[in-house]
Amino acid sequence: MGGLSTGEKNFINGGVAQDLRTDGRKRLTYRPIYITTGVIPQANGSARVKMGATDVIASVKAELGRPTAAYPDKGKVSINVDCSPTAEPTFEGRGGEELSSELSMALQRCLLGGKSGAGAGIDRSSLSIVEGKICWDLYIEGLVVSSDGNLLDALGAAIKAALSNTALPKVQVASVAADEQPEVDLSSEEFLQFDTSGVPVIITLTKVGKHYIVDATSEEESQMSSAVSVSVNRQGHICGMTKRGGAGLDPSVILDMVSVAKHLSEQLIIKLESDIAAAEAYEEEE
Amino acid sequence: MAAKGGAAPATYSPSLTTSKEKRRAPLFSEADWVRPDGRGFHQCRLAFMRTAAVNSASGSAYAEFGNTKVMVSVFGPRESKKAMMYSDVGRLNCNVSYTTFATASRGQVSDNKDFSAMLHKALEGSIILESFPKTTVDVFALVMESGGSDLPVIISCASLALADAGIMLYDLVASASVSYLGKNLVMDPITEEESYQDGSMMITCMPSRNEVTQLTLTGDWSTPKIHEAMELCLDACSKLAKIMRSCLKEAASPSQVEE
């Protein structure tokens, strides 16, 4: 967003300072969130999240694989984000690569926890089928369809919705021989719902001038000095944090942002979960 | 051969070390255990830093924190590539690479592909980019030996190299990390501790300005623990910045004697 005039920039900065942003929102108000689930039939779970003009799709695909030698009792999860050039011409070719790797890294940090899997939003030990032999590999793909700021929060919400939409086929283990790869049967009727109660929400606080705002549009993001993304789970624990933007921040401001994010997360989790439930009920009706 | 193999374990056995590592894992979860290198939980490794490690570079630095050995060269400011658009502020180009022998198993570097971007973000805020318009500064970091907490060492070393190159900075950038192991916060973790960590926090900051330029956090944290970890990191950063500053002074003083 290089195309802002000085007047427009002042308008955004002044608005944020006076707690009345250009679209009439307050500093800590979200745009309306619309969630639809089951948008991709080929995937095990999928969801589309719209926040204003930001539009993202997340899909979850599950495949049977072998666990790694280091963690034989855990499945594998990979998160990838793709920024389509249909969203913005600058994403064309390698242009979107920097943004997509930044988003993927931030999501991995927020959702997958430490190397041992502790504190992860996605419990990887629930993906194990036969220890050391077979596990589920979850491939979580995010796609940015249209970009108008706050992509990370939207992707986080979409992944949460897609995971709760995910049904893994029930696996029957036919034989477990000591050295051989066990034979398995995938049920086509029985499915297991994926437990998403531990999946955190991501809240990005964008600092514009002296104040910070949630759910920034791309115009507002162009005026930011820095942004802190905090992921908070249902227990109010912080599961991950990343900072964007080059400008430095006072440590006390960061701690302040963390407590604001924690406070906001309570409402957002309730809102998202009821929206996800509503979207799934609607999907079943169809 | 078989008999020889049977007698060998007294001196050398690869399987013995793996079983030892497996025993260590539950050890970390207990309340009191001794760190593999005998440090206290909140103690950093000894830091060794020198500037002017490479002659051909505008500025360079070498850092050795325990087993982590890093070298950073800074080239430029030099003219930006013709293909780049005109820019009235300078550009920063960062690249982090590992030697093939840096880690125990060859080619284990896939974890670290985002280090270049992280280094860029950590340093960007400290450089007065307006002071070299239309030009680019290249920062190349090479990890010669990876011994844990690689990124904080790379960042601190790169900032020292930038200062050595005479690039205008607001302040030196120092960086530190803590690991969450069981119930303990462990300062400046080594590779072994990192592989068992339940969470980690890395902070890069400019101590004189009291500004955090970059911050990452993984794992499950309660707010008091975040406060505690941040205090620890910021304290370590300000101490490290003092070491970096004295290192720069040291490099500058002999030349004055010669004059």
Side-chain angles (χ1 to χ4, degrees), chain B residues 97-109:
Chain B
S97 53
Y98 275 65
T99 58
T100 47
F101 46 82
T103 46
S105 55
R106 247 177 62 94
Q108 205 200 14
V109 248

Side-chain angles (χ1 to χ4, degrees), chain A:
Chain A
M1 273 281 161
L4 286 182
S5 66
T6 323
E8 282 171 304
K9 285 177 190 167
N10 288 340
F11 197 65
I12 290 170
N13 281 314
V16 169
Q18 290 175 38
D19 204 8
L20 183 66
R21 288 152 68 177
T22 41
D23 46 9
R25 283 184 290 157
K26 285 177 173 263
R27 281 197 288 265
L28 299 181
T29 320
Y30 275 85
R31 289 173 284 187
I33 303 173
Y34 300 102
I35 300 177
T36 26
T37 52
V39 289
I40 299 166
Q42 283 101 325
N44 294 68
S46 60
R48 177 178 189 176
V49 168
K50 278 186 176 189
M51 284 167 137
T54 295
D55 191 346
V56 296
I57 292 177
S59 84
V60 180
K61 282 208 179 205
E63 281 171 21
L64 288 175
R66 283 183 79 106
T68 53
Y71 301 105
D73 57 338
K74 290 196 168 91
K76 290 176 281 184
V77 183
S78 80
I79 302 180
N80 256 310
V81 179
D82 187 28
C83 294
S84 156
T86 53
E88 221 168 280
T90 49
F91 293 164
E92 204 250 316
R94 305 196 59 175
E97 224 165 71
E98 198 179 321
L99 181 68
S100 33
S101 73
E102 189 183 331
L103 289 170
S104 329
M105 280 312 300
L107 286 169
Q108 281 168 20
R109 209 168 281 138
C110 291
L111 298 174
L112 300 186
K115 269 186 196 146
S116 62
I122 300 165
D123 181 15
R124 287 193 292 147
S125 47
S126 69
L127 299 171
S128 175
I129 298 165
V130 181
E131 190 177 321
K133 298 274 173 62
I134 304 183
C135 66
W136 284 112
D137 292 350
L138 282 192
Y139 295 95
I140 303 176
E141 305 307 319
L143 173 71
V144 177
V145 182
S146 164
S147 145
D148 189 20
N150 206 23
L151 289 174
L152 192 62
D153 296 21
L155 283 165
I159 288 174
K160 192 176 164 73
L163 281 173
S164 61
N165 182 240
T166 299
L168 297 176
K170 197 170 179 183
V171 182
Q172 292 283 343
V173 181
S175 65
V176 186
D179 303 323
E180 288 164 42
Q181 191 70 5
E183 282 177 30
V184 290
D185 255 343
L186 288 186
S187 162
S188 55
E189 280 138 25
E190 276 184 278
F191 290 93
L192 293 173
Q193 204 68 27
F194 196 79
D195 178 31
T196 54
S197 57
V199 179
V201 290
I202 302 173
I203 292 172
T204 303
L205 292 163
T206 310
K207 196 157 181 268
V208 177
K210 281 187 180 135
H211 302 273
Y212 41 83
I213 54 175
V214 292
D215 196 13
T217 62
S218 41
E219 271 115 6
E220 285 165 334
E221 275 181 358
S222 72
Q223 295 307 302
M224 77 171 192
S225 56
S226 54
V228 174
S229 300
V230 187
S231 81
V232 190
N233 67 11
R234 202 201 285 261
Q235 284 83 38
H237 286 193
I238 313 295
C239 311
M241 194 149 59
T242 36
K243 184 179 165 296
R244 286 187 300 148
L249 271 178
D250 197 272
S252 62
V253 174
I254 293 181
L255 291 174
D256 195 34
M257 283 173 153
V258 169
S259 66
V260 169
K262 217 173 129 176
H263 180 69
L264 285 170
S265 72
E266 289 169 18
Q267 301 154 23
L268 187 64
I269 287 177
I270 294 168
K271 163 121 181 70
L272 281 183
E273 279 176 0
S274 71
D275 279 3
I276 291 168
E280 290 198 330
Y282 181 75
E283 191 197 335
E284 271 161 34
E285 262 175 45
E286 291 250 305

Side-chain angles (χ1 to χ4, degrees), chain B residues 217-228:
Chain B
L217 185 135
T218 56
D220 195 337
W221 294 72
S222 63
T223 323
K225 276 282 176 203
I226 293 182
H227 281 249
E228 193 188 330

